[in-house]
Amino acid sequence: MPLPLPLPDTWAVVVNWNGAHLLGACLDALARQSHPVTVVVVDNGSTDDSEKVVTRRPGVHWCAVGENLGFARGSNVGIRRALDAGARFVALVNTDVVVEPDWIERLVAGAEAHPEAGIFGGLLLFADDPGRVNSTGLVMDAVGRVRDRDFGVELARLAREDGPTLGVTGGAVLLRADTLRRVGLLDPAYFAYYEDADLCARARRAGIGCRYVAAARARHGFGSTIGAGSPRQRYLLARNHLRFVATHLPLWKAVPVVAALVLLRLGVMAPRELVLGRTALARSHVRGALDGASLSARPLLERLAALWPRASPRD
C-alpha cells in the first residue's frame, strides 16, 4: 500500500455548536482556498444537522467532543490535533465567517515576511453590509475593554495599512504554531469572548507581535452564533472583561478597576435594566459581576503574591 500523502502544514479549526445553517458556507469557502489547508470541525455537542453538513464534505475532519466546551476549549481541541500533526500555522475561523479564496495565502505570506510576529488577521467585513468594516484588529481602552478596531467604518473611507496591531479577533485569525507552543493555547476559563485578546496579550509579553494584513478579507455574520446584545453575550463579556483586567492591566490599576466595575454593574447597570423592564439583561449584569469577581480573584492574588518572594529556609 502506498504511503498517504502528507497533510498540508496549515490547518483551519472551526468550532461549531448547532451551526448547521452556517457551516456550509464557511466550509465551502475554506475548500476554495488557494493555499492548501487541512480543515477540522470541532463540534461542541450539537443537536442539529451539523454532522450531516460535514460528512457531505469528505475532505473535512469531524471531531465531536459531546458537550459544549465553549470557543476557547473547543478551539484548543483542534489546535492540539494540528500541532500533533506538525502544523506550522493554525487558523481559527468562526462558523459565521466566510473567507475570501486567498485569505490564508495572504496571511501566510504576511507571516513569512514578518517572522517577529506570530498572530495575523485581515480585513473583516459585515456579511450583511460588506461596505462596512467589522474589524481590522483589536483596540483597548483605559479600563481594559477590548473592541474591534475601525468597527462600523465605511470601507470606502478606510485608510488602514498593513502593520502591527494590539491584537486580532479570534473569529478569523492565523496563528503561528511556534507561538502557540511558546505562549500556550487559549485560556479555557474565558469560554467565549476575550480569549483572543488574552492570547494576544500573552504573546506581546513574550515579545511576539500581532499584525494586520489588509489584503486578507473575510465576511462576518456578526452576532449569528451567540446573538449580539443577548443576555448570554452580555454576561460573558462582563465576566470575561473582569478576568482580562485582573490578568493584564498593571496591578496598581487592575485592583481598583475590577472593584469599580463590579460595583458599577451591581449598583447602576443592573438596576437601570430593571427599571426599563429588561429583567434578563439585569440578571446578566449581576451574574457577570459576581462570576467575574470570582474568576478574577486567582490572577489578582497570584500577582499580589509575586510581589513578596517567599523567604528562603534557614540553615
Side-chain angles (χ1 to χ4, degrees), residues 202-260:
R202 286 187 279 129
R204 290 197 310 275
R205 193 158 57 239
I208 301 170
C210 306
R211 284 192 67 86
Y212 167 66
V213 182
R217 293 192 174 195
R219 286 170 284 129
H220 182 206
F222 185 73
S224 299
T225 49
I226 291 182
S230 67
R232 177 65 169 166
Q233 186 198 49
R234 295 284 182 87
Y235 162 72
L236 289 170
L237 286 172
R239 187 194 75 155
N240 295 349
H241 174 211
L242 289 171
R243 180 175 177 83
F244 182 82
V245 167
T247 305
H248 296 294
L249 258 62
L251 188 57
W252 64 267
K253 189 175 185 180
V255 173
V257 168
V258 167

Side-chain angles (χ1 to χ4, degrees), residues 88-203:
R88 291 179 62 231
F89 299 102
V90 183
L92 303 181
V93 182
N94 274 8
T95 52
D96 58 358
V97 169
V98 175
V99 298
E100 293 295 317
D102 60 353
W103 182 77
I104 289 179
E105 180 182 357
R106 298 281 190 176
L107 293 178
V108 169
E112 301 288 13
H114 294 277
E116 77 283 359
I119 301 175
F120 304 86
L123 173 58
L124 198 59
L125 304 171
F126 288 103
D128 59 354
D129 186 2
R132 283 195 308 135
V133 175
N134 179 182
S135 182
T136 63
L138 300 177
V139 292
M140 184 177 70
D141 66 14
V143 294
R145 288 179 299 184
V146 177
R147 298 177 179 176
D148 289 303
R149 187 174 66 175
D150 296 319
F151 186 88
V153 172
E154 292 183 12
L155 181 58
R157 297 176 178 270
L158 182 67
R160 181 73 62 183
E161 298 181 352
D162 289 14
T165 179
L166 183 75
V168 175
T169 175
V173 60
L174 184 76
L175 307 169
R176 197 187 297 275
D178 286 346
T179 295
L180 294 166
R181 294 187 179 99
R182 182 173 169 185
V183 306
L185 309 189
L186 299 177
D187 182 350
Y190 286 96
F191 191 83
Y193 298 114
Y194 276 90
E195 74 292 319
D196 46 8
D198 171 78
L199 178 65
C200 293
R202 286 187 279 129

Side-chain angles (χ1 to χ4, degrees), residues 5 9 87 133 144 203 265:
L5 293 174
D9 65 1
V133 175
R265 291 191 179 278

Side-chain angles (χ1 to χ4, degrees), residues 14-127:
V14 179
V15 176
N16 175 68
W17 181 69
N18 290 328
H21 59 298
L22 301 168
L23 263 177
C26 174
L27 296 178
D28 289 345
L30 289 171
R32 292 191 293 267
Q33 289 301 291
S34 55
H35 184 91
V37 60
T38 302
V39 180
V40 58
V41 175
V42 178
D43 187 72
N44 276 342
S46 295
T47 56
D48 62 1
D49 292 331
S50 293
E51 185 173 5
K52 293 181 180 178
V53 174
V54 174
T55 55
R56 288 197 293 265
R57 294 162 173 81
V60 178
H61 299 265
W62 172 258
C63 179
V65 295
E67 60 179 311
N68 191 355
L69 302 179
F71 179 78
R73 285 181 65 195
S75 295
N76 288 346
V77 171
I79 291 172
R80 289 190 183 96
R81 291 189 66 171
L83 296 181
D84 290 344
R88 291 179 62 231
F89 299 102
V90 183
L92 303 181
V93 182
N94 274 8
T95 52
D96 58 358
V97 169
V98 175
V99 298
E100 293 295 317
D102 60 353
W103 182 77
I104 289 179
E105 180 182 357
R106 298 281 190 176
L107 293 178
V108 169
E112 301 288 13
H114 294 277
E116 77 283 359
I119 301 175
F120 304 86
L123 173 58
L124 198 59
L125 304 171
F126 288 103

